[in-house]
Amino acid sequence: MEIISFVILHYGDSEITDRCVQSICSMEGQEAVQLVIVDNDIGKKDALRFERKKKYEQQAPNITVLINRGNGGFSEANNLGYQYARDRLKASFILVLNNDIEFIQKDFPTHLYQAYQECKCHVLGPDIIRSGTGEHQNPLDERLRTKEEAEATIRKNRMALKLYPLIYPLLYWNNRWMERTQTQERKKSKDYYKSKKEKIVPFGACLIFTPLFVKAEEKAFDPETQFYYEEYILACRCQKKGYRIVYDPSLKMHHESGKATSRRFRGEYGRLKFMMERIIQACTIYCTMLKK
């Protein structure tokens, strides 16, 4: 049986990671399952990180913990786990996921093998359901953003950061309104998420790299960004190389949607500011890709 490796990006809250790990360890077919936890708690004391590493690796022989000592970025940390799973574990399927993902299918490996046999694509996007609201979060988008749209995003975020202390309340309520509107729209379109989709931008909370991708690519994310726009960069890269991305609703999981991030920043003020700063950086990289 082909090896399935789950690369879990841990930061902030061990309780959230614990639930994710337990949902994977409860699956059928554990002989083919490998877990790689990338500890991305940059700045935490080494003693705490090594203690956590020992705790997880003692739970089961198929759990490995890697301590990231880089810059703490999303792409860099996940590439660390992806390369370990690819080169050391010889995994055929590599799932790169946030630690607030919870698998709800005990027979998930069987569904994964079947989904791949039916589509033979390079990247699979599962049906990611937001806990609490029931909102379907995949696909993230049906098309790539244009260079003009990306440049406009950069300009808007730069302006917002300049005025941030003054306009934060407006940004906060606008963000809340947009989230509620998006949730309502997705709830009205439940039938849309019941069928397979191609040529989409997959939601980054869980990305499934199939044997076709893993065999050809040394990195999951290239070029690397710290946070945000990874999905658009991945979709652009796949489009340029002729790789297929497929959303398949037969693969299901729950997502706590940013819970770990919100706990890390202890408030919306820091989270929104962090998001805008990182979007500017990542969007600039995306624009460079589009120009090539």
Side-chain angles (χ1 to χ4, degrees):
M1 188 175 286
E2 295 176 292
I3 294 174
I4 305 171
S5 183
F6 296 80
V7 175
I8 305 167
L9 183 61
H10 166 82
Y11 61 97
D13 196 317
S14 292
E15 290 182 12
I16 294 172
T17 302
D18 288 348
R19 287 196 290 272
C20 177
V21 170
Q22 185 56 44
S23 71
I24 298 170
C25 290
S26 299
M27 289 177 186
E28 299 170 0
Q30 285 295 304
E31 66 278 3
V33 170
Q34 291 287 336
L35 287 77
V36 179
I37 302 171
V38 181
D39 190 326
N40 208 35
D41 265 342
I42 306 299
K44 289 290 180 72
K45 292 182 179 179
D46 280 353
L48 293 174
R49 300 177 80 187
F50 279 108
E51 183 179 341
R52 186 160 52 218
K53 173 181 171 69
K54 182 179 178 181
K55 182 194 82 170
Y56 283 119
E57 292 185 341
Q58 285 180 340
Q59 286 184 26
N62 61 340
I63 298 178
T64 301
V65 178
L66 305 178
I67 296 178
N68 182 30
R69 298 189 180 281
N71 61 23
F74 175 93
S75 299
E76 176 205 66
N78 278 316
N79 277 339
L80 179 67
Y82 173 90
Q83 289 174 318
Y84 184 90
R86 178 183 186 266
D87 301 332
R88 294 285 296 276
L89 300 178
K90 306 301 180 183
S92 297
F93 295 88
I94 302 177
L95 286 79
V96 172
L97 54 135
N98 291 356
N99 62 333
D100 52 4
I101 287 288
E102 186 173 352
F103 291 86
I104 57 177
Q105 294 170 307
K106 298 291 185 184
D107 56 348
F108 181 84
T110 300
H111 286 285
L112 176 57
Y113 293 134
Q114 184 175 345
Y116 177 62
Q117 289 302 319
E118 290 176 358
C119 70
K120 292 294 183 183
C121 64
H122 295 75
V123 180
L124 273 167
D127 186 8
I128 302 173
I129 304 164
R130 186 175 184 178
S131 301
T133 66
E135 171 189 351
H136 297 263
Q137 297 181 298
N138 220 355
L140 175 68
D141 206 336
E142 293 183 311
R143 64 173 179 85
L144 292 173
R145 299 290 93 185
T146 65
K147 182 170 70 70
E148 290 73 23
E149 288 171 327
E151 289 173 343
T153 296
I154 293 170
R155 289 194 300 271
K156 289 177 183 177
N157 279 278
R158 281 177 175 163
M159 181 61 68
L161 281 173
K162 286 181 180 179
L163 304 172
Y164 192 67
L166 295 174
I167 65 173
Y168 166 69
L170 178 63
L171 291 172
Y172 172 81
W173 288 111
N174 182 64
N175 191 55
R176 292 287 297 275
W177 176 80
M178 288 177 63
E179 286 182 353
R180 285 197 296 268
T181 301
Q182 185 181 63
T183 298
Q184 290 169 0
E185 289 177 352
R186 286 179 170 176
K187 282 185 174 181
K188 291 177 184 177
S189 308
K190 283 187 176 180
D191 289 343
Y192 172 84
Y193 302 100
K194 293 179 180 178
S195 59
K196 292 181 181 180
K197 306 278 185 292
E198 284 204 49
K199 298 180 180 179
I200 52 97
V201 179
F203 185 50
C206 180
L207 296 164
I208 303 173
F209 298 99
T210 74
L212 283 175
F213 186 99
V214 173
K215 185 177 180 179
E217 299 294 331
E218 294 182 0
K219 290 184 177 182
F221 302 101
D222 186 24
E224 294 179 349
T225 61
Q226 277 210 307
F227 291 94
Y228 303 105
Y229 254 76
E230 296 90 3
E231 298 101 332
Y232 287 101
I233 291 172
L234 174 64
C236 181
R237 176 180 164 205
C238 287
Q239 188 179 92
K240 287 175 179 286
K241 295 190 174 187
Y243 293 172
R244 292 179 66 203
I245 300 177
V246 175
Y247 161 72
D248 191 327
S250 70
L251 304 168
K252 298 185 182 296
M253 58 199 64
H254 286 164
H255 180 218
E256 291 197 63
S257 200
K259 194 168 183 178
T261 306
S262 62
R263 289 189 186 183
R264 176 183 179 182
F265 289 104
R266 298 183 183 277
E268 195 68 9
Y269 187 93
R271 191 186 73 84
L272 277 178
K273 187 171 185 290
F274 176 86
M275 180 179 71
M276 289 189 295
E277 290 169 344
R278 297 301 179 269
I279 284 176
I280 290 170
Q281 294 173 1
C283 215
T284 301
I285 292 172
Y286 177 69
C287 285
T288 302
M289 282 188 75
L290 293 178
K291 291 175 183 176
K292 289 182 179 179

